Amino acid sequence: MSKAQDPFYIVKEEIQESIDKLQSSFHQWERIRPENEQRVRLTKELFTNCKSIEWQVDELDKAISVAARDPSLYGIDEVELENRRRWTSSARTQVGNVKKAVVAGKENGNSASAMHRELMRLPDRSNRYTVEDNDDFISSESDRQMLLIRQQDEELDELSASVERIGGVGLTIHEELLAQEKIIDDLGNEMDSTTNRLDFVQKKVAMVMKTASATGQCMMISFLLGLFIILFILVFFT
């Protein structure tokens, strides 16, 4: 099975795309001041995305564990299995690093916000900004916040679509595994039945060989050989 058709690589690409978007959002989060409300909203989204990606990686690990029971059945070897395990471990580490950084930044941001609120209580004696300057600043900041909100909404829509696609691929993998297990069970039962039939024929041949004369043995051997060929055709070609 080629990589383009392998369900593992399809899911892997979906997860890697989600990780890339997560890191992009994280870099955007780093540039926002701790006391900004947009950072609070983005922090919640980062935690949600981290949890979603971790669940996807866990499901991929489960699929790898199933394939590891019989790698030859799925056309892979131990080297490929190890490569897949290393990738899921790396993906989990990337997500964990983002989560740790966001947690640390959230704690530091709470302290910075408290200090900022204390400074805001002090009277302003500088009078460096006019009313017009303040209005322009508020308008510009509002526009920037609206743009960030629209970008986040688009990223959430894409993430939701990715999760749905990954869920569909997971169901397909599960159904394929069940179908293959049934085929293997049926093949095993058929082999057992065929073995029993051949054993029965061999025993009959041995009994006849002991009791028949030389001419009778030849005739009986020809008859049993024809019977064996008929049974063989019935078992394997019908």
Side-chain angles (χ1 to χ4, degrees), residues 11-235:
V11 177
K12 174 184 175 182
E13 290 179 1
E14 295 284 351
I15 295 177
Q16 187 60 58
E17 182 180 350
S18 298
I19 292 175
D20 293 341
K21 291 180 180 179
L22 175 70
Q23 292 177 340
S24 176
S25 298
F26 172 69
H27 294 323
Q28 182 181 356
W29 174 86
E30 289 181 310
R31 295 191 294 268
I32 302 176
R33 294 177 61 84
E35 65 274 10
N36 195 308
E37 293 183 359
Q38 177 63 21
R39 175 156 173 158
V40 176
R41 179 176 178 274
L42 192 55
T43 298
K44 295 179 180 179
E45 292 177 359
L46 286 172
F47 281 131
T48 300
N49 294 343
C50 285
K51 184 176 181 180
S52 175
I53 295 174
E54 288 174 341
W55 174 83
Q56 296 172 29
V57 174
D58 289 340
E59 291 299 313
L60 198 57
D61 270 333
K62 292 178 182 178
I64 294 174
S65 298
V66 172
R69 298 174 186 172
D70 189 0
S72 60
L73 179 62
Y74 303 98
I76 58 178
D77 53 21
E78 292 297 333
V79 175
E80 176 65 17
L81 285 173
E82 185 60 27
N83 290 337
R84 295 185 180 191
R85 294 191 185 102
R86 280 201 298 268
W87 185 87
T88 56
S89 177
S90 174
R92 189 175 284 106
T93 299
Q94 293 179 63
V95 176
N97 290 339
V98 171
K99 184 186 291 185
K100 290 178 182 178
V102 173
V103 170
K106 183 179 180 181
E107 294 175 353
N108 295 335
N110 291 337
S111 300
S113 297
M115 183 179 295
H116 178 72
R117 286 193 297 270
E118 291 296 328
L119 292 174
M120 291 297 292
R121 294 175 184 174
L122 297 176
D124 183 12
R125 298 184 179 91
S126 62
N127 293 324
R128 291 177 298 174
Y129 299 104
T130 63
V131 174
E132 291 80 4
D133 292 335
N134 289 334
D135 291 340
D136 292 340
F137 173 77
I138 292 173
S139 176
S140 176
E141 185 68 15
S142 176
D143 293 340
R144 190 172 71 86
Q145 294 299 326
M146 291 299 296
L147 178 60
L148 290 175
I149 290 174
R150 285 197 297 270
Q151 292 176 347
Q152 292 302 315
D153 289 340
E154 292 175 356
E155 292 177 357
L156 287 175
D157 292 339
E158 293 178 358
L159 178 60
S160 176
S162 297
V163 171
E164 291 179 358
R165 289 195 297 271
I166 291 173
V169 172
L171 290 176
T172 301
I173 293 174
H174 179 68
E175 293 174 356
E176 182 178 348
L177 291 176
L178 292 178
Q180 291 180 352
E181 288 179 0
K182 185 178 184 303
I183 291 173
I184 292 173
D185 291 340
D186 292 342
L187 180 60
N189 294 333
E190 190 67 25
M191 291 298 295
D192 291 340
S193 176
T194 302
T195 301
N196 293 334
R197 294 177 184 178
L198 292 176
D199 289 341
F200 175 77
V201 171
Q202 289 175 352
K203 291 178 181 179
K204 289 296 183 181
V205 170
M207 293 176 60
V208 171
M209 291 292 291
K210 292 180 180 179
T211 58
S213 62
T215 303
Q217 287 179 359
C218 293
M219 294 178 61
M220 187 58 66
I221 289 173
S222 300
F223 172 73
L224 292 176
L225 181 60
L227 179 61
F228 175 77
I229 293 174
I230 293 173
L231 288 175
F232 182 84
I233 294 173
L234 290 175
V235 170

